[in-house]
Amino acid sequence: MVNLTINNKAVQVPEGSTILEAAKTVNVKIPTLCHLDLHDIKMVNKAASCRVCVVEVEGRKTLAPACSTPVFEGMIVRTDTKKAVKARRTVVELLLSDHPSDCLICEKNTNCELQSLSAELGIRHIKYEGEMSTYPTDKSSLSIVRNMDKCIMCRRCETMCNEVQTVHALSGTGRGFETVVGSAFDLPMHETNCTFCGQCLAVCPTAALTEVNNVPKVWDAINDERKTVVVQTAPAVRVALGEEFGLEPGTVVTGKMVAALRQIGFDMVYDTDFAADLTIIEEASEFVHRLKHGGKLPILTSCCPGWVKFFEHQFNDMLDIPSSCKSPHEMFGSIAKSYLAEKINIHPKNMTVVSVMPCVAKKYEAARPELGHGGTKDVDIVITTRELARMIREAGIDFLALEDEEFDNPLGESTGASVIFGATGGVIEAALRTAYEWLTEETLENVEFEALRGIEGTKEATVNINGQDIHIAVTHGLGNARALLEKIKRGEANYHAIEIMACPGGCIGGGGQPYHHGNLDILQKRIEGIYSEDRSKTIRKSHENPMIKQIYEEFLGEPYGETAHEYLHTHYVKRTKM
């Protein structure tokens, strides 16, 4: 342990701690901008590039960045001296001198950390004026917009993309005034290895990285009298949407969300959880089929489009391993434009399917040419949790005052197995609940697989089914996925089934969720909300969902059969690795 003093307060912290970490233990606030510390996923942005956190250290001539300066025995630190405060103000004033002043119409207005810090420091005018760097805005992808005019070179996105996700789509380029975080060879994002997971924009402090805004498309569809507009909502949305309206993270707002969607003007409101149950029937069937007939193992889950694009680029020699199942919202779109359209006597081309997702990669996924049927896309428009909150506000809806409402039927009934899709480990746990009973022909009494839960990077479990040990792995974050798959390729690990999600925590930490600003306690609370919803369900196994049984009897036939493959399965594309 190391003893030091911060603002006349005695502090004792472990050796190797930074001044910033030491200050937090005694509630001394030091402002930061580039710093981002995500211990639970072993990531710290070490750039120390913004210098907003500078402090005075006795005996040192220059100011020290608190986020990267290690403590030492007897250190005396002052965070509130005239010299330190003036330096911070100057740093922020210089950042503002090269930053657009369009805050009122900015995507990150009221969510911008530079804006908040400027207000805290009482900066009311641009002190330094001169040349401003300008770059073309990259709107090439269907998921992410890059506006480098608003980049402050904090390097958070670069750290997240390269160290956590290991995608390496972003890097600092240029020198001096021309330095900016960009892509290799200045390529537009859709031509790079980018997986569109959105973790870069989840940590960006300004609006240099934002999601593509699909809200106007949704309003246009709702106002088109020729269209029947159907909306579906993902499991992770219901435990995060409330944060946008001041509720505690993890608060389940399913009923209020349904009511809000109806007030917005959607013709039908459905739950993607139904399609998650459908996914389990197909995925569990595929797993059982491979297990019984010597098929390729391990089977990899395919619900996450960011992860799918990652292995299409990085592990394209393994394209026969992932499940061929479409993701749940794509399955729902396919069923809505076939089974549901016939039920309500609507031509598929007159139906618009809107997905509310925690994920920006779903925007890209919906446009994949193989995800459609009969010349129509399965899903027409995808919006994020944040975009739904924006629509609720635009419509003038008092969200907190809404009475709970239920999803529409058919396709509205779901189980506890489906809602846990929103948390890392949830998909494979849901699949095990069904596969176990199919393989053993016995009732699974304890449906909760605790070993598969939690926010650890990679988790493993062994489940004995009919005397055979089934080895399971769960991982989230693409860097963890890379390490696990490389281990398998080297022959150092042997599994039967693996769940992979691109985002930390799974879908609850998706790039389209309310900003957590590096506070991973928020992700943990969302996970707890997911599991509380599971426990509140009467039915907790996908194969026991009566609506699922009905759709197979009336339309799909046998699970993993010919019709199911036509509507619910897909294929993957070998992509170049830059």
Side-chain angles (χ1 to χ4, degrees), residues 78-277:
R78 295 293 310 195
T79 71
D80 54 0
T81 64
K82 181 179 179 180
K83 184 178 180 181
V85 173
K86 184 178 180 181
R88 280 183 211 132
R89 284 181 58 87
T90 300
V91 165
V92 175
E93 286 169 344
L94 286 168
L95 286 171
L96 292 174
S97 73
D98 190 29
H99 198 83
S101 300
D102 60 349
C103 296
L104 286 176
I105 56 172
C106 178
E107 283 284 326
K108 291 290 283 285
N109 186 22
T110 73
N111 259 316
C112 173
E113 293 179 46
L114 178 61
Q115 184 186 57
S116 299
L117 186 56
S118 300
E120 284 180 20
L121 294 174
I123 299 172
R124 294 290 179 260
H125 67 277
I126 306 299
K127 186 174 181 179
Y128 305 102
E129 295 184 2
E131 184 181 355
M132 293 184 68
S133 51
T134 57
Y135 304 89
T137 300
D138 180 3
K139 298 181 179 179
S140 62
S141 93
L142 296 170
S143 296
I144 297 172
V145 176
R146 290 175 60 243
N147 182 353
M148 292 299 97
D149 289 358
K150 298 188 177 183
C151 176
I152 60 172
M153 286 302 295
C154 69
R155 315 296 279 265
R156 287 187 186 181
C157 62
E158 187 179 350
T159 301
M160 181 60 82
C161 186
N162 298 343
E163 294 186 28
V164 178
Q165 301 295 66
T166 67
V167 174
H168 299 283
L170 296 170
S171 183
T173 63
R175 295 177 65 86
F177 188 69
E178 302 301 324
T179 307
V180 71
V181 174
S183 60
F185 311 112
D186 290 325
L187 289 172
M189 291 302 285
H190 80 285
E191 294 181 20
T192 70
N193 290 348
C194 180
T195 65
F196 308 121
C197 69
Q199 287 305 302
C200 58
L201 66 88
V203 298
C204 178
T206 66
L209 293 159
T210 56
E211 71 260 38
V212 171
N213 181 11
N214 282 343
V215 169
K217 291 182 181 179
V218 179
W219 285 125
D220 286 345
I222 289 172
N223 293 323
D224 187 342
E225 295 181 357
R226 299 167 298 176
K227 294 288 186 180
T228 297
V229 186
V230 175
V231 66
Q232 59 170 317
T233 62
V237 175
R238 71 204 64 200
V239 294
L241 179 62
E243 294 168 39
E244 292 280 339
F245 300 95
L247 295 177
E248 182 73 12
T251 303
V252 180
V253 294
T254 312
K256 292 183 186 300
M257 176 180 66
V258 173
L261 289 166
R262 287 209 178 94
Q263 283 200 29
I264 283 171
F266 289 101
D267 296 304
M268 298 176 184
V269 182
Y270 290 109
D271 195 352
T272 312
D273 284 14
F274 167 83
D277 279 333

Side-chain angles (χ1 to χ4, degrees), residues 199-485:
Q199 287 305 302
C200 58
L201 66 88
V203 298
C204 178
T206 66
L209 293 159
T210 56
E211 71 260 38
V212 171
N213 181 11
N214 282 343
V215 169
K217 291 182 181 179
V218 179
W219 285 125
D220 286 345
I222 289 172
N223 293 323
D224 187 342
E225 295 181 357
R226 299 167 298 176
K227 294 288 186 180
T228 297
V229 186
V230 175
V231 66
Q232 59 170 317
T233 62
V237 175
R238 71 204 64 200
V239 294
L241 179 62
E243 294 168 39
E244 292 280 339
F245 300 95
L247 295 177
E248 182 73 12
T251 303
V252 180
V253 294
T254 312
K256 292 183 186 300
M257 176 180 66
V258 173
L261 289 166
R262 287 209 178 94
Q263 283 200 29
I264 283 171
F266 289 101
D267 296 304
M268 298 176 184
V269 182
Y270 290 109
D271 195 352
T272 312
D273 284 14
F274 167 83
D277 279 333
L278 194 58
T279 302
I280 288 304
I281 301 303
E282 289 302 309
E283 203 162 84
S285 297
E286 185 177 6
F287 173 61
V288 169
H289 186 272
R290 290 195 198 185
L291 198 62
K292 286 183 174 180
H293 298 90
K296 197 72 178 273
L297 294 172
I299 188 172
L300 306 179
T301 59
S302 56
C303 297
C304 170
W307 149 238
V308 166
K309 194 166 187 289
F310 180 77
F311 76 68
E312 287 180 328
H313 282 293
Q314 309 288 343
F315 294 90
N316 54 33
D317 56 339
M318 301 173 70
L319 294 186
D320 57 337
I321 297 180
S323 165
S324 62
C325 290
K326 293 179 180 180
S327 66
H329 89 118
E330 291 290 337
M331 281 196 183
F332 178 89
S334 180
I335 292 300
K337 291 189 176 183
S338 52
Y339 176 79
L340 178 63
E342 185 176 340
K343 281 258 181 192
I344 60 178
N345 196 29
I346 292 175
H347 194 283
K349 290 186 177 179
N350 294 329
M351 178 183 286
T352 298
V353 175
V354 177
S355 296
V356 183
M357 297 285 123
C359 170
V360 295
K362 296 288 186 186
K363 295 172 183 274
Y364 141 81
E365 179 191 31
R368 288 181 65 125
E370 64 272 17
L371 296 177
H373 192 270
T376 63
K377 295 192 297 181
D378 291 336
V379 174
D380 299 285
I381 309 170
V382 175
I383 60 173
T384 63
T385 309
R386 291 192 297 266
E387 286 175 289
L388 173 57
R390 197 180 310 150
M391 291 187 72
I392 292 170
R393 292 192 191 97
E394 284 181 30
I397 296 170
D398 184 350
F399 184 77
L400 299 181
L402 292 171
E403 295 290 331
D404 287 357
E405 295 184 14
E406 298 289 333
F407 288 105
D408 287 315
N409 264 310
L411 316 186
E413 192 162 348
S414 61
T415 70
S418 62
V419 76
I420 62 175
F421 266 57
T424 174
V427 176
I428 206 74
E429 179 176 337
L432 278 174
R433 292 179 186 182
T434 291
Y436 182 94
E437 293 201 354
W438 283 353
L439 287 166
T440 64
E441 297 182 359
E442 297 175 357
T443 300
L444 179 66
E445 300 296 343
N446 183 10
V447 299
E448 297 186 8
F449 292 82
E450 294 291 344
L452 301 174
R453 299 182 177 188
I455 207 165
E456 296 85 6
T458 300
K459 301 173 286 289
E460 298 182 4
T462 299
V463 181
N464 188 277
I465 302 179
N466 277 350
Q468 181 180 2
D469 284 342
I470 303 298
H471 301 293
I472 310 293
V474 171
T475 191
H476 58 112
L478 294 174
N480 292 326
R482 181 189 294 278
L484 184 64
L485 291 181

